[in-house]
Amino acid sequence: MPRQADPRQLQARLAQQLHDMPAGQAPAWLAAECAGLRLLLPLQEVGEIVEHAPPLLPLPHARPWFEGVLNLRGQLHGVVDLAAFLGLRPGGGVPAAGHLVALHPSLGLHCLLRVDRLAGLRNGAQLASLPRPAARAGAPAFAGELYDDGQGRTWQALRLAALARDAHFLHVAQPLPGPQ
């Protein structure tokens, strides 16, 4: 298993990226990866990055992508394996390694998203919007635009405010089996 980065190093790296951004090109996105999918999380909808989380308490009868709850500074937060929620890998079992990204408090949902890797900050000047394929017409409301980073990599924007209102995301209880 790869060694987790020191949270001070991560903070220093992100602070340096913010400092190095040209004037007028403030970053708009936190770039992350989940099971090989490159995601852009809107900075205004991101709360904090939690590196060393307190112990996770599993929630009985929860969906496999819901890892459990943890106490973060006196507030209970649900923890979602984002890759499992998106169907990119099976959920359940031992919580995945990675970083926890909190939803911004203004979204009204105490939730942490587990992502596999943080890939820094991005701004609009670094990304080109891609046309939305017709097949994506039925995509969920939280699936934002696709972007190209100029290096041949595609990034999927994720609307965290829409995710925080998504009915499937909000219903973490596993449906009980019906009568046989």
Side-chain angles (χ1 to χ4, degrees):
M1 179 185 301
R3 184 170 107 26
Q4 292 293 322
D6 179 346
R8 290 179 298 264
Q9 291 174 341
L10 177 64
Q11 286 177 336
R13 191 178 88 229
L14 291 175
Q16 187 62 46
Q17 281 187 320
L18 281 170
H19 180 268
D20 292 345
M21 291 274 174
Q25 289 188 7
W29 308 99
L30 173 64
E33 294 180 11
C34 286
L37 179 65
R38 293 178 196 89
L39 296 170
L40 296 170
L41 309 177
L43 272 182
Q44 70 272 18
E45 297 176 0
V46 169
E48 65 179 291
I49 297 167
V50 179
E51 284 295 316
H52 297 291
L56 188 65
L57 302 169
L59 186 66
H61 308 292
R63 295 187 187 268
W65 46 263
F66 190 82
E67 294 182 351
V69 295
L70 58 81
N71 183 335
L72 188 61
R73 287 181 292 291
Q75 298 259 339
L76 287 180
H77 286 69
V79 178
V80 172
D81 178 345
L82 188 55
F85 174 77
L86 296 173
L88 302 172
R89 70 170 164 239
V94 177
H99 301 275
L100 296 175
V101 177
L103 298 184
H104 194 276
S106 67
L107 299 181
L109 191 62
H110 296 289
C111 181
L112 298 163
L113 303 174
R114 187 175 305 278
V115 298
D116 298 338
R117 187 174 94 72
L118 294 174
L121 302 171
R122 301 291 187 274
N123 66 40
Q126 296 170 302
L127 302 166
S129 184
L130 295 172
R132 189 174 198 101
R136 292 184 39 85
F142 58 81
E145 299 301 316
L146 294 174
Y147 293 92
D148 179 85
D149 65 4
Q151 298 176 10
R153 296 180 300 210
T154 300
W155 293 82
Q156 168 74 59
L158 193 64
R159 297 180 181 121
L160 297 181
L163 181 66
R165 295 185 307 270
D166 183 78
H168 181 65
F169 186 77
L170 293 172
H171 291 94
V172 301
Q174 186 76 279
L176 295 175
Q180 301 295 327

